[in-house]
Amino acid sequence: MIRLYLKSGRERPVHNGHPWIFSGAVESVEGDAEAVGVADVFDCKKNWLARGLYNPKSQIRVRLLTWREETIDRDFFARRIAQALKLRQDFLSTTTNAYRLINGEGDFLPGLIVDRYADFLVCQFFTAGLELFKDDIVAALSALEFVHGIFEKSEGRVRDEEGLGPSAGVLASPEPPDLIPIEENSFKFLVDVRRGQKTGFFLDQRDSRAFLATVARGRTVLDCFSYSGAFSLYALGGGAKEVITLDSSRPALELAEKILALNGFPDGGELLKGDAFAYLKECGRTFDVIVLDPPSLAHRRSDVAAATGGYKFLNLHALRHLNPGGLLLTFSCSQHLSIDLFQKVVFGAAVDTGRKASVVKRLGQPIDHPVSLHHPEAEYLKGLALRVLD
Ligand code: SAH
């Protein structure tokens, strides 16, 4: 076991439950300081504080798993997984069989994402420490009664920073089908875990889609950045009069078409392949409701200033194309853009259009995307439902 001693005064965040220890807080390391493994963390007076996974190559030297002296093994992961599952089973609708089962730090399993799509799980292992326990985690997940097969789709910047490449494929047979049928609030979807974006579906917008269904009746709706048309489907299910579904990805729109037909909307409005920035600027008509759900425009903290320009452009042109009394559902999934800054950007857009708007609802991550109170920076998705006056 690795023993890691913090510099004087650097124990406060650990006491407070923050899950990360950065390299700058470390005074010394005893044991095999070059190896990835389980580490005990001590303050400068050699008091035991917490236990986690150590990676000498990462700026985040330790990701903490527990503040108790418990063994990190298959049983530990099984206990954490059981707690995460209970949250979802207790509070999610029984007409939903797709959700994020493990949301990293929010479920006290830093670096691990597990999405459930009906009988299949899709895992993302983001850290070298978790790679050591992959077999244990897969075994613990396989033991859940609904699990048929487990697929891996680990990729992205965090893995690069951990010194890992991408890794994808079957972790526990059988292989998932090309399209996994799932249900969300009784709506039917098809999820392409291999070729789709992220793990195949944007589970994090479930509550906002449900809100859209409640305000769509009799209205014209534009779903910008639609991916597989999930907002559009809820709008149609909620009785929208007309829906336009817009995305730049042809495969996403082809999937949207299949999904709309599967739910009894074979003529579910117009599917448009195009750039949402250009469409919003140039389109020659107005809507009662516009949804703006762009991909993250700021991947790093240093991108935030440039990204605010993109968000302002989108919101400004969306506000211009709303009918009097219309609704804008606008989102940012950039972790580095705070809700305060996002709201300021949207405010700036409204001022420039000369329109007046009020916030009628704040939107955000659903219950299966919990955010640790001790790690609030993990809250990435923020949304505002705005109503324009006239
Ligand atoms: N609203 C979706 C998720 C959106 S993800 C849902 O609820 O499932 C972001 C989407 O934006 C992706 O499908 C991506 O293909 C699309 N996209 C990215 N850049 C775009 C652009 N410039 N114009 C239109 N769509 C774009």
Side-chain angles (χ1 to χ4, degrees):
M1 176 102 78
I2 295 149
R3 296 164 70 89
L4 183 143
Y5 297 93
L6 297 178
K7 288 179 182 162
S8 167
R10 303 302 281 270
E11 64 283 354
R12 169 52 61 81
V14 180
H15 264 303
N16 288 352
H18 195 282
W20 294 355
I21 293 172
F22 288 95
S23 57
V26 179
E27 178 70 45
S28 61
V29 178
E30 278 175 15
D32 189 352
E34 298 309 311
V36 173
V38 176
D40 274 346
V41 177
F42 299 83
D43 68 13
C44 66
K45 294 187 183 131
K46 304 202 174 280
N47 296 305
W48 190 94
L49 296 174
R51 184 167 285 169
L53 295 171
Y54 168 83
N55 180 355
K57 289 209 186 93
S58 171
Q59 280 311 303
I60 303 175
R61 226 17 80 85
V62 181
R63 286 175 161 86
L64 295 172
L65 290 169
T66 181
W67 288 258
R68 290 187 191 150
E69 291 194 55
E70 56 190 324
T71 308
I72 306 304
D73 56 9
R74 183 176 302 186
D75 283 349
F76 168 82
F77 287 103
R79 289 196 298 278
R80 281 282 195 271
I81 291 166
Q83 292 213 9
L85 178 61
K86 184 160 169 35
L87 171 74
R88 281 72 176 169
Q89 286 182 331
D90 283 354
F91 300 116
L92 276 174
S93 143
T94 53
T95 57
T96 296
N97 68 4
Y99 50 78
R100 182 148 290 184
L101 171 59
I102 306 287
N103 189 42
E105 282 76 1
D107 286 298
F108 302 95
L109 286 172
L112 182 64
I113 297 290
V114 180
D115 287 342
R116 175 182 178 187
Y117 295 120
D119 304 343
F120 288 91
L121 298 177
V122 182
C123 302
Q124 296 182 299
F125 294 85
F126 286 116
T127 69
L130 282 177
E131 287 283 336
L132 293 179
F133 289 95
K134 203 176 209 169
D135 290 347
D136 290 315
I137 293 168
V138 170
L141 291 169
S142 299
L144 302 177
E145 45 92 15
F146 61 84
V147 173
H148 199 44
I150 306 180
F151 195 78
E152 177 179 20
K153 211 173 167 194
S154 304
E155 57 196 14
R157 194 169 48 82
V158 180
R159 268 182 83 88
D160 298 342
E161 287 163 2
E162 285 277 311
L164 304 165
S167 173
V170 175
L171 290 175
S173 334
E175 275 204 47
D178 285 345
L179 293 175
I180 306 178
I182 61 158
E183 262 188 51
E184 184 185 90
N185 293 320
S186 299
F187 289 104
K188 299 184 182 73
F189 288 97
L190 300 167
V191 180
D192 184 342
V193 299
R194 289 185 193 74
R195 284 164 299 271
Q197 298 183 26
K198 301 283 165 76
T199 65
F201 190 66
F202 291 88
L203 295 161
D204 53 3
Q205 288 288 30
R206 183 187 314 105
D207 288 356
S208 301
R209 294 195 273 262
F211 173 69
L212 175 63
T214 68
V215 297
R217 181 155 306 280
R219 304 218 151 85
T220 57
V221 178
L222 171 63
D223 176 8
C224 283
F225 305 97
S226 66
Y227 188 54
S228 55
F231 275 103
S232 296
L233 175 58
Y234 275 70
L236 288 162
K241 169 164 85 180
E242 185 197 353
V243 176
I244 292 187
T245 303
L246 174 74
D247 202 277
S248 58
S249 156
R250 188 173 302 282
L253 289 172
E254 285 169 1
L255 191 52
E257 193 171 13
K258 282 197 186 110
I259 289 169
L260 293 177
L262 184 67
N263 288 275
F265 300 104
D267 304 312
E270 202 175 339
L271 297 164
L272 278 182
K273 182 187 172 311
D275 173 31
F277 290 81
Y279 181 84
L280 282 168
K281 185 155 181 249
E282 285 147 22
C283 95
R285 58 164 293 185
T286 56
F287 298 88
D288 298 325
V289 183
I290 298 179
V291 178
L292 277 187
D293 185 22
S296 175
L297 302 183
H299 292 290
R300 295 161 196 272
R301 203 169 292 283
S302 54
D303 297 339
V304 167
T308 56
Y311 288 113
K312 183 167 178 189
F313 182 98
L314 288 171
N315 283 281
L316 185 143
H317 290 288
L319 286 166
R320 283 206 172 125
H321 288 92
L322 278 177
N323 292 329
L327 291 175
L328 174 63
L329 273 55
T330 180
F331 299 94
S332 162
C333 62
S334 302
Q335 189 179 342
H336 301 297
L337 192 86
S338 67
I339 178 64
D340 290 350
L341 180 55
F342 181 56
Q343 186 163 330
K344 280 196 185 108
V345 170
V346 176
F347 161 71
V351 169
D352 284 6
T353 61
R355 298 190 89 167
K356 299 285 175 288
S358 2
V359 178
V360 293
K361 195 169 175 65
R362 290 178 185 279
L363 303 165
Q365 296 176 210
I367 207 162
D368 54 328
H369 289 65
V371 178
S372 165
L373 190 56
H374 313 269
H375 186 242
E377 58 269 43
E379 182 167 358
Y380 62 94
L381 181 64
K382 34 242 143 190
L384 297 170
L386 299 176
R387 177 176 186 268
V388 293
L389 185 61
D390 45 27

